[in-house]
Amino acid sequence: MSEAQFYTFFTGGLGLLIAAALMIAWQLWRLRDEERDGAISALDGVSHEMRINLQRMVNEVAQIVDTQEAGPDVLLPVQHPQLDGVNASLIRTNRNAIAVIGATYQELEARKMALRAYLAQKRDLTPALDDAMDATINGIATLYMWEEHAGVRPSEAGMVRSWHVRDWMKAHGFSAHSFPGMHLRDEVVERLRQYGLHLTPRPLTHTAHEYYSMRYDRQADPHAPFWKRKPKTEEVMAVVGVDEASEYIDEEFEDTYEAAPEMAESGDMDAALAEIEAMDEDLPDEDEAYAEDDAEAGRLPN
């Protein structure tokens, strides 16, 4: 084999090796994409499956409430093959959230079994219905955390607007009046808040008077209920009582006391007395006045 033939053979073999490596890499990349798409589809299937089961649970409970003579066959068994397939596979996902979904299914099935027993025995359905509604609310809250926050713990989801939860329920067909005597969307929001999800706006805990008193009262105790002031000690109350009594007496005295008229100066007094005496000298005596009156009374006209 000549040197030219050797280089030709070497170049061709190297090219075939590179082509085979590229083909293998492309196949592996394709398999990886297919596995990722399959995992996404499987997880979406878990959401869809749980949503269908919850909607069926809501409809069954509403049917039992509306139809008093419903039988145990109204309640269908809870099936979740998609969740079982995810548990059996090696899909990389939040396994804690998958476990929570499985526990939610167990609770739903237990509530359905209790309802079947109550319906078969013709007993009062009130406690069983309350438990079934409570389990459904838990399931909707779990489904929301799974779809919108990838199943993380509620305390780790951050700040969430409550209207976002309500819009999500509306988009998934969960009516606010699905259960009698209950606002379903409000109940789900409050359940998520109880689980630790930071929902805004927060519910009001103070009246306007209590809120502004809390903010502007400089002597308030921040550890007291509604930031009320600290209770005063007996010594302080005694001193305050004495001060208030003295202030009250001073005010009463000022209201009732009238100042005496100011006395004129001595010079003004002497001038006033001299003027009065001069006026008295100009006036006739009482005897002369009476005499003139009598004379005029006996005089005859001209």
Side-chain angles (χ1 to χ4, degrees):
M1 179 183 294
S2 64
E3 185 176 358
Q5 293 177 346
F6 173 77
Y7 282 114
T8 301
F9 175 78
F10 181 78
T11 304
L14 185 59
L16 290 176
L17 183 62
I18 293 174
L22 290 175
M23 182 66 67
I24 293 173
W26 181 75
Q27 289 291 339
L28 292 176
W29 184 266
R30 183 180 176 183
L31 290 175
R32 184 173 180 271
D33 286 345
E34 290 179 354
E35 289 180 357
R36 184 183 61 187
D37 294 341
I40 294 173
S41 178
L43 297 177
D44 289 341
V46 171
S47 300
H48 181 73
E49 180 182 67
M50 188 175 187
R51 182 169 62 254
I52 294 299
N53 283 317
L54 289 172
Q55 290 174 348
R56 181 184 298 168
M57 183 75 173
V58 170
N59 294 331
E60 290 171 353
V61 171
Q63 185 177 357
I64 291 173
V65 173
D66 295 337
T67 307
Q68 298 296 331
E69 297 180 357
D73 55 345
V74 174
L75 299 169
L76 300 177
V78 179
Q79 301 291 336
H80 42 81
Q82 192 70 32
L83 179 66
D84 296 337
V86 171
N87 284 325
S89 64
L90 298 178
I91 296 177
R92 296 181 60 183
T93 183
N94 189 348
R95 291 293 170 175
N96 293 330
I98 294 294
V100 172
I101 293 175
T104 302
Y105 276 130
Q106 293 178 2
E107 184 181 9
L108 290 174
E109 182 61 31
R111 300 310 179 190
K112 281 194 174 186
M113 291 177 62
L115 270 176
R116 293 192 194 100
Y118 275 75
L119 289 171
Q121 299 172 7
K122 304 295 182 181
R123 296 167 58 186
D124 184 17
L125 298 177
T126 302
L129 284 174
D130 291 341
D131 293 340
M133 293 178 187
D134 188 76
T136 306
I137 293 171
N138 286 335
I140 296 174
T142 302
L143 179 61
Y144 170 78
M145 294 301 302
W146 169 257
E147 286 193 357
E148 297 297 320
H149 302 285
V152 299
R153 294 181 178 89
S155 59
E156 300 174 357
M159 303 292 290
V160 180
R161 298 287 292 179
S162 59
W163 61 263
H164 183 269
V165 182
R166 300 175 192 276
D167 290 345
W168 175 86
M169 293 182 64
K170 183 178 180 180
H172 285 70
F174 293 106
S175 175
H177 303 287
S178 299
F179 291 150
M182 178 188 300
H183 197 284
L184 182 59
R185 294 173 187 171
D186 289 346
E187 293 295 331
V188 173
V189 169
E190 292 301 323
R191 189 61 54 87
L192 288 170
R193 183 175 281 114
Q194 292 176 5
Y195 287 165
L197 184 63
H198 299 287
L199 289 169
T200 58
R202 297 178 181 178
L204 297 177
T205 56
H206 307 287
T207 62
H209 174 71
E210 293 170 346
Y211 178 76
Y212 286 107
S213 297
M214 177 181 66
R215 288 181 62 86
Y216 295 107
D217 192 353
R218 303 305 181 188
Q219 298 180 3
D221 182 11
H223 301 290
F226 302 118
W227 281 33
K228 293 181 178 179
R229 293 187 176 185
K230 293 182 179 180
K232 297 179 180 179
T233 60
E234 296 181 357
E235 294 80 2
V236 175
M237 291 299 294
V239 173
V240 170
V242 172
D243 294 340
E244 290 179 354
S246 61
E247 291 178 0
Y248 177 76
I249 293 172
D250 294 340
E251 291 176 358
E252 289 292 329
F253 178 75
E254 291 177 358
D255 293 339
T256 58
Y257 173 75
E258 295 182 357
E262 297 181 357
M263 299 298 292
E265 296 181 359
S266 58
D268 296 338
M269 288 295 296
D270 295 339
L273 291 175
E275 185 178 357
I276 293 172
E277 290 177 357
M279 291 175 62
D280 291 341
E281 290 176 356
D282 295 338
L283 292 176
D285 295 336
E286 293 182 359
D287 296 339
E288 295 177 357
Y290 283 116
E292 292 178 358
D293 292 340
D294 292 341
E296 290 180 358
R299 182 181 303 172
L300 294 175
N302 295 329

